[in-house]
Amino acid sequence: MKNLINLVPFLALVTVGSFSHSPATKYILGLNKYSHDTTVSLFTQSGHPVSILSKERISRKKHDGGSVASLTRKILANNDIQLSQISHVVSNNHHFRTTPYERSPSNLAWSECLHSASASDSDSDSVTSPYNLFPSATHIEVSHHRAHAFSVASQSPFSSGLVVVMDGMGELYSAMSSNSDDTSNTDIYLNDLNDNVMNNPPNIKELSEKSVYSYREAESAYTFVKDDESKTVTVSCFFKRWAKVNSPPELHNFGFHDLNSVGALYSRVSSHIFGDWNVCGKVMGLAPYGGESLEPGTLLAGSIQTSLIIDSESLLKGIPIHDASAPASAPPLDQLRPAVDLASAVQNDLENVACDFLRFCKATSGETNLCFAGGVALNSCLNGKILKDKMFEKVFIPPYPGDDGVAVGAAASVLFSNNENYGLSSKVESLWNSPLHPYQGLSYNDASISSALERFSSVLNFDRIGDESALLSKVADQIAAGSVVFWFQGRSEIGPRALGHRSILADPRSAKLRDFINGKIKKRELWRPFAPSVKAEKVGEWFDTHNVHDDGNVSPYMQYTFNAKEGKGAEIPAVIHVDGTSRIQTVTQADGGIYWNLIDEFEKRTGVPMVLNTSFNTKKGEPIVESPLDAIRSFLEVENDEVGRNKVLVLGDFYVTRKSTHESLLDKEAVLAPLVGGVISRTVESGEEIVRVEVQGLAGVWVQLFDRLQLDILNKIDGSVNCGDIWEILNLEEVFDEDEGEGDGGEEEIITFKEVSDRMLNLIELELIENDYKREK
């Protein structure tokens, strides 16, 4: 029987490697810059992807924004490409226009200057850097929702269909209209105002002119057609709802919190519950704990296409309900009832309003295939409902529907333009008729991995296991035995979800292990759910996927939630949420490679064709790890005595464990050298008691030490004396203090070498000192 829904196949992914890579090759950059989630995408003029990376991955600041200079440098260097080879730059910044700003930064409005840089930007990452301005390239700008639309239409596996964009905040109407009205303006600015658009409100031009801060894109709908013969993608906007800007741009995130879009409301709830507008995934995870204490339509009512009613005033008042710093163990039903009710209400209202709008778009356009983009498309519960309700024949949602995907859409809008080639010296060789693979980060060779491991050889054991089957057998044994595996393979994923290249893996059969990972490793709320990575060919045995795909590859990017089949959820409690659902990643042998092979090995041992998969990051406020060094730092972030032997790091084919205290005892002849010039310290006191000792580490970040003894040790490490000498000096000082009468008059306290060694090893982990050589005194 033919499936009612045929979700797109994901077997044939576009890869790099078949194009000419020489000094003569010209490239096009797609950029999302200055606002949050600054991202660079790099393609050849012939349309081959080279790299896609978000700034957060190298700055280690989640959702980082600002200039692209440091990010561009990193990508070009990693691929041996010169700045002079960049011929075209296509950019978007939905806060304000980039082209006028970059042409004359000195004339920028104060409100725009306020938001144009990131707190992590250094002098080398300045707005005026050539790696941010690209003075020799042709510059093109594309509006926000149009870039979103191209990000999915260009790589859709079907040749025509509907694109719906729903997010928090899009382009200003005044930015689009002023560019169109100025006939002397030669800027290339691609936007939707020239399309035959059904605007809501219909008199948007008049309203915008009368308003103080104009209006912004809220939700948009497009149709698209891909033409293999001309190698073009035609994207046409037919509906757009505009939301009035109620707040001045000087406010945080350009007054985003006060915008009446569906996405902005959801973010407003996120702020109210957790004090952070950009943790909407936590709202989605909290919602299933709720009941029906709030009436449907409490927050969102009406329809996007006619009159949407957003009521945030009655519920979103005062300070956040639940401070983000509250204990991780806080049970949601006992302590978070108002937050649970609010999360449940906004999720239900979102699903009702969004699905109503999708039905309207389908009926208006006549299209039966859907591409979904914008931040709202990250809501896997909504996406699961779209599939369950069988609203469309085919559905495509990329791994990066948020603003990181804007960088891809910006480049695609020029590569596949049906109007002109904008001076490109070569034409695209073919359309992207299958999705770009999500592993577009930087490349790291064995030498870079080995170098990173050697840097921490004092605290890590590592072996290279060149035989893949032997490595996977050992790792699968560890997972089946209850170990937590930190998994690093190949290039990193683009998008917010770990898809088997930068993942923390565990046995899905253990509910206790779920709580352990949440509380001890991720250091977050215990109610947060985890996702499984499932062999695609077995997914139908465990989850109700609504028969949407013959080979089972229904959710390769964790786009959807599905219910566990009856009786199956109890077998895998670590990956089943309180409502019986799971946000799954399906993995095929063709696409998954070594990751599918690992899952297969785990299934041979347990009969369960899946593993628990969560993002590889353990430091609060940091994104998924990018480099081998990031991975080691994150791995060491979890205290050894909390995990012990149940913690394994796999870096490529290196099998890594943390040394036991006995194994890692430093050689007394080892000479340690400082990594930070000049120790700057501070203490936190409570009355006369010192409760915390901190020193300033690399990049000026304050790190906490064990105690004053560790600070004394750090002050004595200068690269000239060995560990044994420092131990002896400390004990002589202790004796001297006793002789001077500063002791308590009791037995003399001797500092053991183990106490000194433990503190030195921790200083190595904190990257305050290094031990990469030994020499005789």
Side-chain angles (χ1 to χ4, degrees):
M1 182 177 177
K2 187 177 180 180
N3 296 331
L4 292 176
I5 300 179
N6 180 24
L7 203 71
V8 302
F10 293 89
L11 291 179
L13 299 179
V14 179
T15 57
V16 185
S18 60
F19 62 90
S20 173
H21 183 71
S22 73
T25 304
K26 296 296 183 182
Y27 299 88
I28 180 170
L29 282 177
L31 309 177
N32 177 56
K33 61 196 308 191
Y34 301 132
S35 60
H36 61 86
D37 293 293
T38 284
T39 302
V40 170
S41 66
L42 177 65
F43 300 87
T44 64
Q45 285 193 4
S46 55
H48 292 280
V50 179
S51 189
I52 307 168
L53 190 66
S54 292
K55 186 175 178 178
E56 66 167 20
R57 300 299 176 89
I58 65 167
S59 71
R60 312 307 303 147
K61 178 185 176 184
K62 204 164 188 178
H63 302 298
D64 201 6
S67 158
V68 298
S70 59
L71 184 56
T72 306
R73 277 195 187 90
K74 199 86 170 179
I75 290 174
L76 296 185
N78 190 254
N79 292 281
D80 195 22
I81 295 170
Q82 302 301 312
L83 184 62
S84 59
Q85 292 178 260
I86 305 300
S87 64
H88 289 70
V89 175
V90 193
S91 61
N92 173 256
N93 164 38
H94 63 295
H95 285 168
F96 55 85
R97 289 279 314 280
T98 60
T99 308
Y101 165 36
E102 293 178 345
R103 186 167 50 238
S104 182
S106 61
N107 293 326
L108 193 67
W110 182 79
S111 60
E112 293 170 348
C113 286
L114 188 66
H115 300 288
S116 64
S118 159
S120 66
D121 285 352
S122 61
D123 291 341
S124 62
D125 214 23
S126 116
V127 169
T128 58
S129 166
Y131 287 87
N132 182 66
L133 295 182
F134 312 98
S136 301
T138 298
H139 286 260
I140 301 165
E141 195 171 354
V142 59
S143 60
H144 194 66
H145 279 196
R146 191 168 188 83
H148 270 309
F150 264 98
S151 74
V152 282
S154 59
Q155 53 182 313
S156 161
F158 33 90
S159 59
S160 64
L162 168 71
V163 177
V164 171
V165 178
M166 301 178 71
D167 62 5
M169 180 170 70
E171 205 90 352
L172 277 168
Y173 180 87
S174 58
M176 295 189 199
S177 61
S178 61
N179 186 79
S180 300
D181 294 342
D182 185 359
T183 57
S184 64
N185 194 340
T186 59
D187 294 345
I188 305 174
Y189 179 36
L190 311 178
N191 60 69
D192 298 331
L193 286 197
N194 293 327
D195 290 347
N196 186 20
V197 180
M198 182 191 315
N199 287 305
N200 180 18
N203 57 335
I204 179 60
K205 182 176 176 64
E206 177 185 349
L207 291 174
S208 179
E209 290 172 349
K210 291 181 179 180
S211 67
V212 178
Y213 304 117
S214 190
Y215 284 66
R216 286 190 179 274
E217 294 173 307
E219 299 87 28
S220 301
Y222 304 77
T223 57
F224 74 93
V225 177
K226 302 172 78 169
D227 188 331
D228 280 316
E229 183 175 350
S230 63
K231 300 179 178 59
T232 60
V233 181
T234 303
V235 174
S236 303
C237 183
F238 69 87
F239 176 86
K240 194 178 294 289
R241 189 177 77 88
W242 302 89
K244 186 178 181 182
V245 180
N246 296 307
S247 300
E250 289 81 3
L251 294 183
H252 174 66
N253 212 359
F254 270 65
F256 166 74
H257 283 81
D258 205 21
L259 198 71
N260 281 336
S261 69
V262 171
L265 174 68
Y266 206 98
S267 287
R268 203 142 67 236
V269 171
S270 174
S271 292
H272 197 62
I273 296 176
F274 300 109
D276 185 344
W277 70 272
N278 215 349
V279 291
C280 293
K282 290 174 69 170
V283 177
M284 184 177 66
L286 189 61
Y289 288 94
E292 299 180 356
S293 58
L294 297 177
E295 291 292 325
T298 299
L299 294 169
L300 278 172
S303 67
I304 290 172
Q305 59 271 25
T306 55
S307 178
L308 186 67
I309 302 170
I310 297 180
D311 179 13
S312 60
E313 294 300 320
S314 57
L315 294 175
L316 304 182
K317 290 182 177 180
I319 61 173
I321 295 173
H322 176 63
D323 193 318
S325 63
S329 60
L333 295 181
D334 294 342
Q335 298 182 22
L336 298 179
R337 174 51 60 189
V340 169
D341 291 342
L342 186 57
S344 179
V346 76
Q347 180 65 35
N348 291 334
D349 286 355
L350 168 70
E351 292 178 11
N352 291 336
V353 168
C355 287
D356 175 71
F357 180 55
L358 291 173
R359 293 187 186 95
F360 160 78
C361 293
K362 179 181 178 182
T364 303
S365 66
E367 299 290 346
T368 58
N369 300 328
L370 171 67
C371 291
F372 196 18
V376 174
L378 283 167
N379 193 298
S380 55
C381 295
L382 167 61
N383 299 342
K385 181 174 175 59
I386 293 170
L387 290 192
K388 184 177 181 180
D389 290 354
K390 298 178 169 60
M391 296 171 62
F392 295 90
E393 291 181 8
K394 299 176 183 178
V395 179
F396 171 59
I397 303 172
Y400 37 81
D403 282 1
D404 40 9
V406 163
V408 177
S413 68
V414 170
L415 283 170
F416 304 113
S417 170
N418 64 337
N419 294 321
E420 53 183 303
N421 70 0
Y422 300 106
L424 297 174
S425 57
S426 59
K427 296 182 179 179
V428 292
E429 295 177 356
S430 63
L431 295 176
W432 302 334
N433 287 318
S434 294
L436 304 177
H437 73 75
Y439 310 109
Q440 299 284 355
L442 304 179
S443 298
Y444 301 93
N445 57 27
D446 290 339
S448 65
I449 295 175
S450 180
S451 175
L453 288 169
E454 288 291 345
R455 182 170 172 179
F456 290 91
S457 60
S458 296
V459 291
L460 296 176
N461 288 315
F462 50 92
D463 295 306
R464 189 171 185 181
I465 305 177
D467 180 78
E468 182 180 302
S469 61
L471 174 67
L472 296 183
S473 179
K474 189 170 186 176
V475 175
D477 284 343
Q478 287 293 320
I479 297 175
S483 295
V484 178
V485 172
F486 294 69
W487 181 257
F488 180 107
Q489 296 292 329
R491 300 168 68 187
S492 62
E493 304 89 337
I494 176 67
R497 288 162 185 163
L499 301 173
H501 279 211
R502 302 289 189 274
S503 294
I504 297 175
L505 309 176
D507 189 339
R509 299 172 299 168
S510 171
K512 290 183 178 179
L513 196 54
R514 174 197 62 202
D515 294 343
F516 173 74
I517 296 172
N518 263 331
K520 297 295 186 180
I521 292 181
K522 303 286 280 189
K523 303 177 184 69
R524 66 186 195 181
E525 301 89 349
L526 295 184
W527 49 264
R528 299 277 292 277
F530 289 114
S533 293
V534 193
K535 291 170 66 176
E537 63 271 29
K538 298 291 183 72
V539 68
E541 300 174 12
W542 293 78
F543 297 94
D544 183 6
T545 58
H546 320 302
N547 298 319
V548 297
H549 205 287
D550 291 333
D551 67 358
N553 198 21
V554 59
S555 185
Y557 312 134
M558 289 188 187
Q559 308 104 302
Y560 308 99
T561 57
F562 299 100
N563 284 93
K565 287 199 167 180
E566 187 174 354
K568 289 294 188 180
E571 296 184 42
I572 47 172
V575 293
I576 302 298
H577 204 21
V578 66
D579 59 350
T581 66
S582 187
R583 186 188 72 196
I584 67 174
Q585 177 199 4
T586 48
V587 184
T588 66
Q589 187 172 12
D591 295 339
I594 189 174
Y595 190 43
W596 184 94
N597 293 339
L598 174 62
I599 300 171
D600 186 57
E601 287 294 325
F602 180 76
E603 183 187 16
K604 290 175 184 177
R605 288 155 175 78
T606 64
V608 177
M610 70 190 79
V611 292
L612 180 155
N613 173 17
T614 187
S615 58
F616 191 161
N617 55 325
T618 60
K619 293 186 176 183
K620 186 176 181 179
E622 281 203 352
I624 299 173
V625 301
E626 169 60 28
S627 70
L629 195 56
D630 296 335
I632 294 170
R633 288 166 174 162
S634 187
F635 178 65
L636 290 173
E637 183 73 11
V638 182
E639 293 296 335
N640 197 38
D641 59 355
E642 290 180 350
V643 183
R645 62 183 177 178
N646 292 331
K647 189 174 74 142
V648 173
L649 170 63
V650 181
L651 281 171
D653 58 3
F654 286 88
Y655 185 89
V656 186
T657 57
R658 190 167 178 170
K659 287 183 177 180
S660 67
T661 302
H662 174 71
E663 289 177 309
S664 60
L665 193 66
L666 285 168
D667 189 323
K668 290 184 180 180
E669 296 299 315
V671 179
L672 303 175
L675 287 173
V676 179
V679 177
I680 301 175
S681 64
R682 66 185 183 188
T683 58
V684 179
E685 300 178 358
S686 176
E688 296 183 357
E689 181 184 0
I690 297 175
V691 296
R692 191 163 70 247
V693 180
E694 296 178 339
V695 298
Q696 204 167 59
L698 296 175
V701 177
W702 288 95
V703 293
Q704 185 174 346
L705 300 183
F706 287 161
D707 48 28
R708 286 297 297 269
L709 173 59
Q710 191 174 23
L711 178 60
D712 289 343
I713 293 170
L714 179 59
N715 280 315
K716 288 176 172 56
I717 294 173
D718 61 3
S720 65
V721 292
N722 63 36
C723 298
D725 288 336
I726 293 175
W727 171 52
E728 291 175 2
I729 292 169
L730 288 167
N731 276 303
L732 285 174
E733 290 177 348
E734 184 71 23
V735 171
F736 177 79
D737 287 344
E738 293 287 345
D739 290 344
E740 291 297 312
E742 294 184 12
D744 57 9
E747 186 177 346
E748 179 181 307
E749 294 183 13
I750 299 298
I751 301 170
T752 67
F753 183 69
K754 182 181 179 301
E755 290 177 307
V756 175
S757 179
D758 285 347
R759 284 158 177 78
M760 287 180 174
L761 289 168
N762 180 250
L763 292 174
I764 293 173
E765 293 177 7
L766 295 173
E767 296 182 90
L768 295 170
I769 63 174
E770 62 180 347
N771 173 34
D772 59 351
Y773 61 92
K774 294 181 182 179
R775 64 188 180 204
E776 295 294 325
K777 182 184 173 185

